[in-house]
Amino acid sequence: MTGAAAPVLLRPGSVVTGDPSAPVAEAVLIDRGLVAGVGRYDDLRATAPGAAVVDLAGCSVVPGLVESHMHPVYTAMTAGWADCRSPGRSSI
């Protein structure tokens, strides 16, 4: 197993935070795959001086949304249907 990846500091044009008290920030610090900080670039740089800086050339960063859902009624209705997908079945 290898060691943890070095922190990464994203330096976009702006960061949309979703926080009404501070709706826009300058940078995002990512450490071990998690957002470790959002705020002023200089402050985050001081927090993680060894972080690799990724300049996003004026692009914006917005929070991601992973929407996971399922359709239980449809799944229940189709659970007994024949699976005719290939290569699972060579013929119908």
Side-chain angles (χ1 to χ4, degrees):
M1 188 164 139
T2 61
V8 174
L9 184 56
L10 300 179
R11 188 174 195 179
S14 64
V15 179
V16 178
T17 67
D19 179 355
S21 66
V24 179
E26 294 177 2
V28 177
L29 178 64
I30 300 173
D31 190 8
R32 289 172 274 187
L34 300 173
V35 174
V38 176
R40 291 185 57 239
Y41 173 79
D42 291 337
D43 294 343
L44 295 174
R45 186 76 180 148
T47 301
V53 176
V54 177
D55 187 346
L56 297 177
C59 293
S60 294
V61 171
V62 296
L65 173 65
V66 177
E67 192 274 328
S68 154
H69 75 280
M70 53 186 273
H71 299 270
V73 173
Y74 180 77
T75 301
M77 287 174 36
T78 61
W81 291 8
D83 181 1
C84 299
R85 293 175 293 179
S86 180
R89 307 290 183 265
S90 59
S91 70
I92 293 178

